[in-house]
């Protein structure tokens, strides 16, 4: 089984692709570097989501679909990070696909996605505070009944 790259390595790959100066050699065009960076960012986000779900011992290892994992993330990471992860994943997935009649992602878009993925990866790696529901009081118990006052 091949080694799974870490999110830090994937983010570093995206940074390297985004900071290469055009014309410095290499087989990739500027558009190819931007698309490659988007691909590395998408895999970094997927790796961070997998790690967040694994850290919660959610037992979701058998899930293969990223869409299903992103839905489960709402419960484990909260709605705001889960919505951002889902939106970013959708944009990055669209950017990774090559269609000959469509423009690829712009360099500025990929740089903005890099910043957003970096923030989200850090958020998902942080310990998640579990929100518990308040305990219901037993109204009929003697400790909750008020003593009559005179």
């Amino acid at each position: 089984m091949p080694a799974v790259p870490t999110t830090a390595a994937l983010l570093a790959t995206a940074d390297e692709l985004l900071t290469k100066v055009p014309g410095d050699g290499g087989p990739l065009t500027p558009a190819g570097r931007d698309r490659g960076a988007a691909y590395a960012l998408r895999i970094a986000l997927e790796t961070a989501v997998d790690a967040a779900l694994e850290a919660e011992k959610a037992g979701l290892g058998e899930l293969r679909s990223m869409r299903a994992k992103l839905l489960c993330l709402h419960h484990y990471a909260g709605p705001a990070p889960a919505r951002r992860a889902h939106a970013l994943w959708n944009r990055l997935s669209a950017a990774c696909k090559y269609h000959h009649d469509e423009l690829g992602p712009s360099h500025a878009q990929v740089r903005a996605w890099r910043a957003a993925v970096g923030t989200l990866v850090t958020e998902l790696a942080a310990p998640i505070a579990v929100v518990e529901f308040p305990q219901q009081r037993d109204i009929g118990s003697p400790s909750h009944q008020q003593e009559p006052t005179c």
Side-chain angles (χ1 to χ4, degrees):
M1 189 159 133
V4 177
T6 64
T7 54
L10 290 162
L11 293 175
T13 299
D15 289 339
E16 182 180 335
L17 288 167
L18 290 171
T19 57
K20 282 199 178 232
V21 179
D24 66 352
L28 292 177
T29 63
R33 284 193 291 273
D34 291 338
R35 193 176 306 277
Y39 215 105
L41 291 171
R42 187 182 85 177
I43 297 169
L45 181 61
E46 290 173 352
T47 304
V49 169
D50 286 343
L53 293 176
E54 181 65 31
E56 290 297 317
K57 307 249 187 284
L60 302 173
E62 66 275 356
L63 285 179
R64 302 270 183 211
S65 165
M66 190 61 187
R67 292 189 190 279
K69 291 176 185 179
L70 289 168
L71 287 172
C72 292
L73 193 63
H74 277 268
H75 177 73
Y76 294 102
R83 275 194 298 271
R84 288 194 340 263
H86 195 238
L88 269 170
W89 186 79
N90 281 332
R91 289 182 193 127
L92 289 166
S93 292
C96 291
K97 306 227 178 348
Y98 175 77
H99 299 285
H100 70 280
D101 58 345
E102 293 179 8
L103 293 174
S106 72
H107 188 72
Q109 280 177 317
V110 180
R111 288 190 80 66
W113 292 334
R114 166 55 182 100
V117 169
T119 301
L120 197 52
V121 163
T122 303
E123 255 181 71
L124 291 176
I128 300 168
V130 177
V131 178
E132 294 184 18
F133 293 105
Q135 296 294 321
Q136 240 181 353
R137 294 186 205 175
D138 186 12
I139 307 257
S141 71
S143 63
H144 285 63
Q145 294 176 350
Q146 291 185 349
E147 298 281 329
T149 56
C150 296

